[in-house]
Amino acid sequence: MVQPAREGPTDWAVADLESRRNDGIALVEFYVVRDSPTFITYKWSSHRRSPSKFTVWFRNVKTQEHYQAKQTVWTGDGRGQLKLSSLRRRTGEYQLVLTEYNNYRNAYAHSSTFVIHNGDF
């Protein structure tokens, strides 16, 4: 079960809600919780034709490299939290990307851009 986000300084942005009529996952919102260490809280929506699972990635906006944040997310949960450990102290501008299971080339949704600083690790 996902722990609720802790109180603290938070960056918030409404995610990309581009609709996919016959499949996919919609990223509804996400928060960058600037705590020690920083973590990401996100919510998604799905429908009966959505896949049963998907993968979450951090995409570096400048290099377009993808770092797997969580390999298996079950669609029915609707919310999740992520640590920044997959970034291995790589700072920069990132987007959160929800994709087909283990295939970052088929993105269902992505967030707006957020910045990761040295102090976030």
Side-chain angles (χ1 to χ4, degrees):
M1 178 174 197
V2 176
Q3 297 292 341
R6 291 175 276 176
E7 298 282 326
T10 305
D11 292 334
W12 179 83
V14 175
D16 178 10
L17 297 177
E18 182 179 321
S19 64
R20 291 176 63 133
R21 289 189 166 83
N22 60 355
D23 67 350
I25 307 293
L27 182 59
V28 178
E29 63 186 41
F30 80 102
Y31 301 88
V32 177
V33 182
R34 307 261 179 211
D35 205 347
S36 184
T38 295
F39 62 94
I40 310 288
T41 299
Y42 62 106
K43 295 179 184 178
W44 67 90
S45 64
S46 59
H47 53 76
R48 62 184 173 85
R49 291 185 304 232
S50 295
S52 61
K53 60 186 174 181
F54 60 95
T55 302
V56 181
W57 305 82
F58 293 118
R59 176 172 54 205
N60 184 301
V61 173
K62 183 177 179 180
T63 66
Q64 295 298 303
E65 290 183 78
H66 288 74
Y67 304 98
Q68 193 174 76
K70 189 157 187 176
Q71 182 176 13
T72 306
V73 179
W74 298 102
T75 303
D77 294 342
R79 64 179 60 218
Q81 285 187 356
L82 301 169
K83 297 177 183 177
L84 302 180
S85 56
S86 65
L87 295 178
R88 296 189 178 157
R89 305 193 69 79
R90 293 182 187 99
T91 60
E93 293 184 348
Y94 287 90
Q95 291 177 326
L96 190 67
V97 183
L98 311 183
T99 71
E100 177 182 15
Y101 178 70
N102 235 11
N103 179 8
Y104 68 80
R105 289 183 176 89
N106 187 11
Y108 296 132
H110 66 275
S111 72
S112 58
T113 301
F114 57 94
V115 179
I116 298 298
H117 305 280
N118 279 326
D120 291 327
F121 295 98

